């Protein structure tokens, strides 16, 4: 009996040591993961790093990693330009499914308000949202009136203090819907566009050329097509002018293949920092007059008008149950102004930008 007990104790000790070693390994792995999170992202991904690793070959996981990385890349580039300010990092959950990470910098030296949001939401599409999609030509076959969906994206609006530094917006997103028969419809959308208060041709050329290079890696037809789409989309009908000097914009893109569209979206996301940060560096210390600041405030008013009246993303967010209103309306500036019947003098720098907003230009040829 003693021998049997001795062997039993020996086995138990070996198992215990192995379990402790495994537990230490788990702890080490967890610490490594947390360190990786700190270095790569602004906050842990909505789906969790382990889950994303487990499903790393799936496009949904790769897209979530891309939007988290893009958020961190942009936030760090902006924070380096405005060292006295810091991003407030706010993680949130949606009770219907999913959540997000909002990073917002307010009242810095350089940026009045800069927000970079990630959201990963899933659940059942609301009837209003489905109606909006059907109006764009989507044939969505619901099962018992229900449409399971998954939507994820990174979205950012940057409003600088100096009127000589333009406002910039970008958004890249992926959408998936499961129809009644189990088939999945998927598509990508997004774009990057610039809204200057005053026109600087050199900056406009740099911005458009950088985006064109990102598009040209994939297909030479993409930049002209998506540049025109951008000019047409960011159009304030009731004013007869564009929101800014454009960039690229696309939606409902589901060909040639999921992988090819993903790689294109990745190139566009990687172009955000190089197309914008050099312009901020160049002008953030320019001197400006109270009149120039007033014109910036009036242009900001136009920005608000477009976002609340026409922007599809804002409308979709407001129609999605459980969506986070603070994150959706993050795109609005901290300050703006609406003056009755304001008209700039002819041949002024203010009139110059209005001319371009009414008649878009080709910046790269």
């Amino acid at each position: 009996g003693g021998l049997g007990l001795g062997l039993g104790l020996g086995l138990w000790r070996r198992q215990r040591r192995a379990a402790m070693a495994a537990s230490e390994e788990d702890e080490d792995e967890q610490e490594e993961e947390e360190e990786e999170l700190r270095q790569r992202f602004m906050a842990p991904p909505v789906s969790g790093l382990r889950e994303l690793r487990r499903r790393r070959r799936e496009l949904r996981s790769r897209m979530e990693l891309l939007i988290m990385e893009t958020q961190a890349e942009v936030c760090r580039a902006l924070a380096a330009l405005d060292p006295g300010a810091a991003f407030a990092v706010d993680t949130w959950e949606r009770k219907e499914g999913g959540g997000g990470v909002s990073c917002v910098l307010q009242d810095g030296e350089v940026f009045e308000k800069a927000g970079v949001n990630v959201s990963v939401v899933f659940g059942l599409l609301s009837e209003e949202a489905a109606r909006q999609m059907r109006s764009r030509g989507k044939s969505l076959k619901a099962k018992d009136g229900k449409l399971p969906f998954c939507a994820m994206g990174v979205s950012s609006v940057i409003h600088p203090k100096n009127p000589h530094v333009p406002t910039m917006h970008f958004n890249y997103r992926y959408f998936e819907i499961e129809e009644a028969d189990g088939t999945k419809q998927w598509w990508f959308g997004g774009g990057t566009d610039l809204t200057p208060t005053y026109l600087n041709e050199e900056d406009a050329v740099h911005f458009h050329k950088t985006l064109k290079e990102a598009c040209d890696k994939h297909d030479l037809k993409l930049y002209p097509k998506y540049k025109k789409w951008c000019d047409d989309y960011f159009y304030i009908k009731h004013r007869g002018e564009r929101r800014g000097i454009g960039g690229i914009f696309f939606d409902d893109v589901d060909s040639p293949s999921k992988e090819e569209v993903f790689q294109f979206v990745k190139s566009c996301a990687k172009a955000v920092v190089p197309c914008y940060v050099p312009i901020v560096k160049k002008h953030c210390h320019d001197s400006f007059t109270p009149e120039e600041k007033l014109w910036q405030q009036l242009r900001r008013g136009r920005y608000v008008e477009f976002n609340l009246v026409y922007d599809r993303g804002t409308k979709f967010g407001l129609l999605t149950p459980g969506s986070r209103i603070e994150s959706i309306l993050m795109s609005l500036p901290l300050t703006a102004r609406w003056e009755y019947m304001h008209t700039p003098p002819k041949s002024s720098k203010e009139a110059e930008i209005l001319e371009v907003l009414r008649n878009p230009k080709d910046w790269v040829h």
Side-chain angles (χ1 to χ4, degrees), residues 222-352:
L222 295 179
Y223 170 76
K225 180 183 176 181
Y226 294 157
K227 191 261 185 201
K228 183 184 184 309
W229 198 338
C230 189
D231 289 334
D232 293 344
Y233 178 76
F234 291 105
Y235 181 59
I236 310 170
K237 291 188 191 74
H238 61 268
R239 297 284 188 183
E241 62 192 45
R242 271 87 196 153
R243 188 176 78 175
I245 60 159
I248 56 170
F249 178 84
F250 55 92
D251 208 351
D252 300 326
V253 177
D254 56 7
S255 65
S257 73
K258 207 183 253 193
E259 184 60 32
E260 284 170 281
V261 187
F262 173 70
Q263 291 302 333
F264 165 66
V265 166
K266 192 173 180 177
S267 295
C268 294
K270 295 290 175 202
V272 169
V273 169
C275 77
Y276 183 60
V277 165
I279 298 173
V280 182
K281 279 183 177 168
K282 186 174 155 189
H283 297 291
C284 62
H285 300 300
D286 288 5
S287 59
F288 57 88
T289 65
E291 291 74 25
E292 287 170 332
K293 188 69 186 169
L294 168 68
W295 178 242
Q296 182 196 45
Q297 296 292 287
L298 292 165
R299 296 314 309 163
R300 292 261 175 86
R302 297 283 206 270
Y303 203 95
V304 173
E305 286 176 31
F306 177 84
N307 278 30
L308 293 182
V309 178
Y310 301 113
D311 187 67
R312 201 184 287 161
T314 305
K315 282 173 153 179
F316 176 78
L318 295 174
L319 294 173
T320 302
S323 58
R324 193 165 185 270
I325 303 305
E326 283 297 317
S327 298
I328 294 160
L329 298 183
M330 174 208 76
S331 62
L332 303 183
L334 210 52
T335 62
R337 188 177 171 104
W338 286 267
E339 238 180 57
Y340 185 68
M341 299 294 280
H342 184 280
T343 311
K346 279 182 182 171
S347 307
S348 65
K349 286 167 83 178
E350 290 78 11
E352 179 190 31

Side-chain angles (χ1 to χ4, degrees), residues 12 39 45 59 89 92 96 107 113 117 131 144 166 176 223 268 303 312 363:
W12 176 77
Q39 286 176 5
L59 194 120
V89 179
W92 52 274
E96 293 83 356
D107 237 349
K113 188 176 179 192
N117 277 353
R131 204 175 297 130
D144 306 324
E176 205 174 82
Y223 170 76
C268 294
Y303 203 95
R312 201 184 287 161
W363 297 104

Side-chain angles (χ1 to χ4, degrees), residues 89-106:
V89 179
D90 191 9
T91 57
W92 52 274
E93 279 184 26
R94 176 176 173 269
K95 71 175 192 294
E96 293 83 356
V101 181
S102 298
C103 297
V104 182
L105 182 157
Q106 276 185 158

Side-chain angles (χ1 to χ4, degrees), residues 5-255:
L5 182 63
L7 286 170
L9 277 172
L11 181 63
W12 176 77
R13 285 192 188 111
R14 282 199 299 278
Q15 285 173 336
R16 191 160 173 265
R17 277 200 297 271
M20 284 168 73
S23 160
E24 279 169 22
E25 265 177 43
D26 276 358
E27 277 176 33
D28 289 348
E29 202 178 302
Q30 211 168 332
E31 275 176 30
E32 273 175 37
E33 279 187 5
E34 282 170 14
E35 183 53 37
E36 188 185 342
L37 282 174
R38 277 194 290 274
Q39 286 176 5
R40 279 179 74 186
F41 310 130
M42 299 300 285
V46 175
S47 301
L49 199 57
R50 283 190 175 183
E51 183 61 13
L52 290 176
R53 279 217 177 108
R54 199 175 62 77
R55 300 195 329 247
R56 63 182 172 273
R57 288 189 177 83
E58 287 180 31
L59 194 120
R60 267 168 69 162
S61 300
R62 291 163 68 206
M63 184 65 181
E64 187 170 345
L65 286 170
L66 174 65
I67 61 181
M68 290 298 298
E69 281 164 6
T70 303
Q71 180 184 51
E73 206 174 289
V74 173
C75 287
R76 283 171 188 148
L78 297 180
L81 296 169
D82 205 341
F87 275 94
V89 179
D90 191 9
T91 57
W92 52 274
E93 279 184 26
R94 176 176 173 269
K95 71 175 192 294
E96 293 83 356
V101 181
S102 298
C103 297
V104 182
L105 182 157
Q106 276 185 158
D107 237 349
E109 291 280 307
V110 174
F111 302 109
E112 183 182 283
K113 188 176 179 192
V116 192
N117 277 353
V118 156
S119 66
V120 178
V121 298
F122 48 87
L124 297 173
L125 206 59
S126 73
E127 194 43 56
E128 296 100 313
R131 204 175 297 130
Q132 194 187 323
M133 286 176 182
R134 286 190 181 106
S135 73
R136 300 198 331 254
K138 296 270 173 212
S139 61
L140 304 173
K141 297 182 282 295
K143 186 178 186 179
D144 306 324
K146 289 173 181 167
L147 276 166
F149 82 99
C150 163
M152 60 180 72
V154 57
S155 178
S156 172
V157 178
I158 300 152
H159 293 293
K161 281 196 164 165
N162 193 311
H164 298 293
V165 182
T167 282
M168 197 265 283
H169 157 259
F170 76 88
N171 170 284
Y172 290 100
R173 57 194 180 275
Y174 173 69
F175 215 96
E176 205 174 82
I177 283 184
E178 192 176 321
E179 295 191 274
D181 60 2
T183 58
K184 283 183 181 172
Q185 278 204 48
W186 60 268
W187 61 89
F188 288 88
T192 303
D193 62 280
L194 199 68
T195 306
T197 302
Y198 288 97
L199 186 64
N200 180 303
E201 296 225 354
E202 203 178 85
D203 297 345
V205 170
H206 164 79
F207 184 80
H208 276 269
K209 270 195 165 164
T210 310
L211 294 178
K212 182 179 184 296
E213 281 164 19
C215 293
D216 285 356
K217 283 179 198 165
H218 300 270
D219 187 337
L220 297 178
K221 294 191 197 84
L222 295 179
Y223 170 76
K225 180 183 176 181
Y226 294 157
K227 191 261 185 201
K228 183 184 184 309
W229 198 338
C230 189
D231 289 334
D232 293 344
Y233 178 76
F234 291 105
Y235 181 59
I236 310 170
K237 291 188 191 74
H238 61 268
R239 297 284 188 183
E241 62 192 45
R242 271 87 196 153
R243 188 176 78 175
I245 60 159
I248 56 170
F249 178 84
F250 55 92
D251 208 351
D252 300 326
V253 177
D254 56 7
S255 65

